[in-house]
Amino acid sequence: MSSNVIVIGAGMVGLATAWHLQERGHEVTVLDREGVAAGSSWGNAGWLAPAKAIPLSDPSLWAYGPKALFDPDAALSMPFRFDPKLWLFLARFMAQATQRAWDTTMASLTPIDRAALAAFDELELGGVEAVTRKGPFVIGFEEESQSKGFQREIAGAVRHGQEAPMERLDNPQELAPMLSDAVKVAFRLEGQRFIEPGPYVEALGRAVEQRGGVIRTDAEVTHVARGDRPAVILTDGERLEADRIVIATGAWLSRLAREFGVRTLVQAGRGYSFTVETDQPAEHPLYLPYHRMACTPYQGRFRIAGTMEFRGPDEPLHPRRIESIVNHSRRLMRGVDLDNRRDEWVGSRPVTPDGMPLVGRTRAENIYVAGGHGMWGVVLGPATGKYLAQLIDTGETHPTIAPFDPLR
């Protein structure tokens, strides 16, 4: 039975949910306080890499985390200040840094990881005018010992049922000419794809509108009111009612969802990026795992992304984080104009302590949430939207999203 649904959030997750609701005959209105792809959907690396959609908290954090706190160039960063919510999140996050917890979370993520790429194909076959690009991905290290953690992660993903063909490269510069001689060990990872994330999400937004959906920007929701016909209240006092409401606001999800029983902490794990010119055109994604740097060809330039910064989602960009990425890039890359940076960006990714998204119905039966994907909102967004739309339409929870119960 068709209904009217309001989706709060115009990122990949929110728009994919709207698109799939339209597929099932529902009318949708999407609200966003800034615009389509204005949040973490815009400046990320655009990786569609299910083999890397893995738990963020793993045993290596016990050795890496304390050292990172005192290294200004470390990929992990957080402020030294009294912040009870942040420290509670970190305590729960670190409690998951065991092999047993990693395997439990990985087992829950694997079904949606395996569905992720087909969900992009479904969007494009359904009329979304955007494309995904295949790898290979180049994975580089300064020395053999640095590669052990990455190889362990890939082996873990394969052990849980994913395919991630990987082979050693004799000449790392053959596929990634911007690598310097400091990178002595490299691998070629197949079976993954990438996109230009901002343009892709914008194309998805246009498809929603072309099919009759309404997207309203500059529409900040301050409150969601429960009832037989729930409603959203905007900052100017406007009240909009619907049959159902989906909260897909990323790192801001808790602000609207907590009163409906969604108690899992959602912390902003902020990522930074910028684009540069390269002497030789970049054709393939490049990953430098030891320094947590993910790089992608982007509109004729090269996007370099990195950092996991635990701060508030609305805090301003911290130039020191950009500088730390530049410092590593100067050593690991060549033929890259790091002094002519464009598109400097910070985006707040929604991280949960247990590494699993929050997808499903809240305690209010006509209010749903979709978020908490951490670094993987882009790659898992279309599949999330598909299965959440099924739940809203039929009342049945697909086994793929069952572990992501937002009331857990």
Side-chain angles (χ1 to χ4, degrees):
M1 179 172 144
S2 129
S3 66
N4 176 269
V5 184
I6 290 176
V7 178
I8 310 170
M12 178 68 90
V13 174
L15 288 171
T17 302
W19 191 90
H20 278 286
L21 285 167
Q22 290 177 315
E23 283 285 279
R24 292 175 173 271
H26 299 272
E27 297 180 4
V28 297
T29 299
V30 181
L31 307 176
D32 197 279
R33 66 175 184 170
E34 293 185 42
V36 171
S40 57
S41 290
W42 187 84
N44 64 83
W47 284 17
L48 310 185
K52 280 299 297 169
I54 61 177
L56 293 177
S57 184
D58 67 53
S60 69
L61 277 178
W62 291 106
Y64 175 77
K67 291 188 294 184
L69 291 177
F70 300 97
D71 180 358
D73 285 336
L76 179 63
S77 173
M78 65 192 72
F80 285 100
R81 65 188 181 201
F82 181 68
D83 187 337
K85 181 182 175 184
L86 174 58
W87 292 108
L88 176 60
F89 167 83
L90 290 173
R92 294 179 178 176
F93 186 74
M94 291 302 296
Q96 296 291 312
T98 67
Q99 190 60 51
R100 181 177 180 180
W102 192 95
D103 280 309
T104 298
T105 301
M106 191 69 238
S108 297
L109 288 172
T110 295
I112 197 167
D113 286 349
R114 295 182 64 175
L117 298 183
F120 278 87
D121 295 337
E122 189 171 352
L123 290 179
E124 291 156 32
L125 289 171
V128 177
E129 296 182 350
V131 296
T132 64
R133 297 172 59 185
K134 294 183 178 180
F137 283 45
V138 178
I139 320 298
F141 306 90
E142 294 165 271
E143 55 189 53
E144 191 73 38
S145 62
Q146 291 181 356
S147 72
K148 296 188 182 303
F150 176 81
Q151 293 192 68
R152 183 177 63 250
E153 290 172 352
I154 292 296
V158 171
R159 186 174 71 251
H160 282 275
Q162 291 205 52
E163 295 184 5
M166 191 168 71
E167 62 181 28
R168 187 180 293 266
L169 288 172
D170 293 331
N171 178 12
Q173 287 83 14
E174 183 177 351
L175 293 177
M178 71 291 298
L179 284 174
S180 75
D181 291 336
V183 178
K184 299 180 176 62
V185 178
F187 298 86
R188 173 188 182 125
L189 176 65
E190 298 282 5
Q192 322 300 307
R193 306 186 205 171
F194 64 100
I195 58 173
E196 294 184 346
Y200 194 104
V201 177
E202 289 169 354
L204 179 55
R206 287 193 298 273
V208 168
E209 291 182 308
Q210 289 165 1
R211 288 156 34 127
V214 175
I215 298 178
R216 290 183 55 179
T217 57
D218 298 321
E220 183 170 4
V221 176
T222 61
H223 182 65
V224 176
R226 68 178 75 212
D228 291 338
R229 277 183 61 78
V232 300
I233 314 300
L234 305 185
T235 50
D236 62 2
E238 183 180 2
R239 178 186 176 95
L240 302 173
E241 292 187 350
D243 296 306
R244 297 176 179 87
I245 292 172
V246 177
I247 302 170
T249 51
W252 297 266
L253 187 143
S254 295
R255 296 181 184 177
L256 298 177
R258 186 171 179 81
E259 68 176 281
F260 304 112
V262 182
R263 303 297 184 183
T264 299
L265 293 172
V266 179
Q267 170 64 42
R270 304 187 339 151
Y272 285 73
S273 72
F274 52 83
T275 66
V276 295
E277 290 184 346
T278 57
D279 288 351
Q280 298 186 53
E283 297 182 5
H284 306 291
L286 168 66
Y287 186 33
L288 301 165
Y290 193 75
H291 303 289
R292 273 72 169 180
M293 292 168 57
C295 312
T296 317
Y298 182 81
Q299 298 190 334
R301 293 170 66 85
F302 194 51
R303 172 170 282 172
I304 303 176
T307 293
M308 175 61 76
E309 180 189 52
F310 290 132
R311 286 184 179 267
D314 293 309
E315 292 189 44
L317 179 149
H318 285 253
R320 185 64 187 84
R321 304 314 307 152
I322 295 284
E323 184 181 336
S324 70
I325 300 172
V326 170
N327 289 342
H328 290 308
S329 299
R330 291 195 190 282
R331 187 177 74 259
L332 301 173
M333 298 182 192
R334 64 184 179 187
V336 175
D337 189 355
L338 293 164
D339 296 319
N340 182 23
R341 300 186 299 275
R342 297 181 189 170
D343 309 314
E344 290 191 351
W345 171 89
V346 60
S348 295
R349 301 164 299 198
V351 182
T352 60
D354 62 7
M356 291 195 293
L358 302 164
V359 183
R361 182 187 287 114
T362 69
R363 285 182 182 164
E365 65 177 16
N366 46 17
I367 298 174
Y368 302 79
V369 298
H373 293 79
M375 297 170 63
W376 319 121
V378 166
V379 61
L380 301 183
T384 295
K386 176 179 180 176
Y387 296 125
L388 180 58
Q390 176 184 327
L391 170 60
I392 293 170
D393 185 55
T394 68
E396 299 176 359
T397 299
H398 193 280
T400 298
I401 60 169
F404 309 147
D405 182 357
L407 302 181
R408 64 180 183 270

